Amino acid sequence: MKKTVTTLADGRELIYYDSADDTVREAVDPRPLDAVSTSSEIRRDPLLGDSVAIASHRQGRTYHPPADECPLCPSGDGRHSEIPDTDYDVVVFENRFPSLAGDSGRCEVVCFTSDHDTSFAGLTEAQAALVLEAWTDRTADLAELPQVTQVFCFENRGAEIGVTLGHPHGQIYGYPFVTPRTGQMLRSMESHRSETGRNLFDDVLARELADGDRVVLETEHWVAFVPYAAHWPYEVHLYPRRRVPDLRELDAAARTEFPQIYLELLRRFDRIFGPGEPPTPYISAWHQAPFRVPGREEFGLHLELFTIRRTTGKLKFLAGSESGMSVFINDVPPEAAAQRLREVASE
């Protein structure tokens, strides 16, 4: 992998990740852009104890542009995008409309491929491996920023999720605090250690392997399963067999095997609802240990993949119980979801 760091016309950082070590990136962003002006502010809710990012400048962000005006495609034919060069493998750049900025953290966009008309599931294993390298490198770099406490790499896929740019891409958030979901995991982890003397993430994986009913895929270094108490209609958690706190500590064998199992999972997701159905909308989320917190080595890196579609033509809405009380009601038994995902193996 070759990494090339440059800047866009408004001073935002842009990074090329190339498979070929001899790739040269010298294109300059010629756009007459004003410096990015953000109004991101973190406010703490005194009742729940969580934090909310107030970011009014995001109201003006790019919204469903036509394909020939996509800001994530390479530049060319007289049209200048967020990527100055005429092609790329993987690109990461600072978001022009960040939810978090400055002392409040950092937001980045990850373009998985220059091909506007594909998806992550359409990548080759080599391309997916390069994305993993980019995620890992960004985690390492953001860990060095004093304002970043936790790094979250994720992909929103599909208009139903709220995606406003159709190009295959994801995002990376560098939060200035431990997120509520991760904080709950840390508390559960500590409680489990206190009660049993064992690691919670190890025991979760061991339970799923012992039960077997919810396991979707197994390889030498990874296990994919529908969790016992799945919140979403179709939800899969992907764990490395060797527990590590974040992407930086995955070994070479796990890195090599990751594209195989992850691409298979994504392709099965697109088969859940049968032939002729539109691509399955999903959120794919890496859960990594926060930095500089006690017991972070006990945390278990894992990826959570889920869809809000519960059946053909119907979405799972977070209505009264979920949105009002944070109590999920799942219409699809986890064992049935796992069985369906085993049935739709990609050809």
Side-chain angles (χ1 to χ4, degrees):
M1 180 192 77
K2 182 179 180 180
K3 176 182 177 181
T4 305
V5 181
T6 184
T7 55
L8 295 170
D10 53 11
R12 287 175 294 134
E13 189 174 45
L14 180 143
I15 307 164
Y16 293 97
Y17 293 92
D18 288 293
S19 297
D21 291 337
D22 59 352
T23 303
V24 177
R25 299 293 183 186
E26 296 179 337
V28 176
D29 182 7
R31 297 173 297 171
L33 299 179
D34 294 329
V36 174
S37 177
T38 64
S39 57
S40 180
E41 177 189 358
I42 303 298
R43 297 186 181 181
R44 189 163 181 81
D45 185 326
L47 295 183
L48 298 181
D50 60 4
S51 299
V52 177
I54 309 297
S56 60
H57 62 277
R58 285 176 53 79
Q59 285 281 39
R61 65 187 184 275
T62 307
Y63 187 80
H64 291 301
D68 60 356
E69 296 179 17
C70 175
L72 307 185
C73 287
S75 295
D77 298 325
R79 187 185 69 84
H80 301 291
S81 71
E82 289 282 69
I83 296 92
D85 219 328
T86 56
D87 69 353
Y88 63 85
D89 290 345
V90 174
V91 165
V92 176
F93 60 87
E94 288 185 79
N95 198 323
R96 192 176 180 186
F97 303 97
S99 302
L100 308 165
D103 292 339
S104 297
R106 179 168 166 127
C107 291
E108 299 179 341
V109 177
V110 185
C111 299
F112 302 140
T113 171
S114 60
D115 185 352
H116 181 89
D117 297 318
T118 190
S119 65
F120 202 120
L123 301 182
T124 65
E125 289 185 10
Q127 289 175 306
L130 186 60
V131 175
L132 177 61
E133 288 302 310
W135 283 331
T136 304
D137 184 73
R138 297 313 303 143
T139 297
D141 280 358
L142 294 177
E144 299 301 317
L145 299 180
Q147 71 269 37
V148 172
T149 298
Q150 181 177 348
V151 172
F152 177 44
C153 306
F154 65 100
E155 180 192 3
N156 297 326
R157 193 273 190 105
E160 299 95 327
I161 298 293
V163 175
T164 56
L165 296 175
H167 195 102
H169 74 288
Q171 299 179 65
I172 300 175
Y173 277 20
Y175 293 104
F177 49 77
V178 176
T179 63
R181 188 173 175 85
T182 303
Q184 182 59 58
M185 289 184 190
L186 291 171
R187 289 188 291 275
S188 296
M189 180 187 78
E190 293 168 3
S191 177
H192 188 80
R193 171 66 73 182
S194 176
E195 293 172 5
T196 69
R198 300 190 304 271
N199 180 273
L200 174 61
F201 296 93
D202 292 347
D203 281 2
V204 165
L205 181 56
R207 174 185 179 174
E208 295 297 345
L209 286 170
D211 288 354
D213 289 346
R214 293 175 297 276
V215 173
V216 176
L217 283 169
E218 288 187 67
T219 62
E220 183 178 355
H221 301 285
W222 295 88
V223 179
F225 59 89
V226 178
Y228 174 75
H231 289 57
W232 298 93
Y234 291 91
E235 174 182 344
V236 175
H237 293 191
L238 179 60
Y239 276 49
R241 290 185 188 266
R242 184 181 71 87
R243 175 172 46 84
V244 294
D246 61 39
L247 288 166
R248 298 174 296 177
E249 298 197 33
L250 285 174
D251 59 27
R255 292 182 182 282
T256 298
E257 205 174 70
F258 171 77
Q260 303 165 23
I261 191 168
Y262 186 52
L263 290 173
E264 175 65 17
L265 278 177
L266 293 182
R267 290 162 187 166
R268 291 191 186 197
F269 255 56
D270 277 344
R271 288 174 163 82
I272 292 173
F273 302 105
E277 286 298 305
T280 301
Y282 65 73
I283 293 174
S284 177
W286 279 109
H287 291 264
Q288 305 193 78
F291 312 121
R292 301 175 292 276
V293 298
R296 75 176 308 272
E297 292 300 319
E298 288 276 296
F299 192 88
L301 167 77
H302 63 285
L303 182 144
E304 297 184 7
L305 173 69
F306 60 90
T307 180
I308 62 170
R309 186 179 292 163
R310 58 186 175 88
T311 189
T312 302
K314 296 179 181 179
L315 300 181
K316 165 65 177 177
F317 292 102
L318 300 190
S321 185
E322 290 89 354
S323 294
M325 284 290 132
S326 294
V327 178
F328 275 69
I329 301 168
N330 189 353
D331 300 330
V332 181
E335 293 75 16
Q339 177 61 33
R340 179 58 180 160
L341 286 162
R342 289 193 293 266
E343 291 172 350
V344 293
S346 63
E347 300 172 356

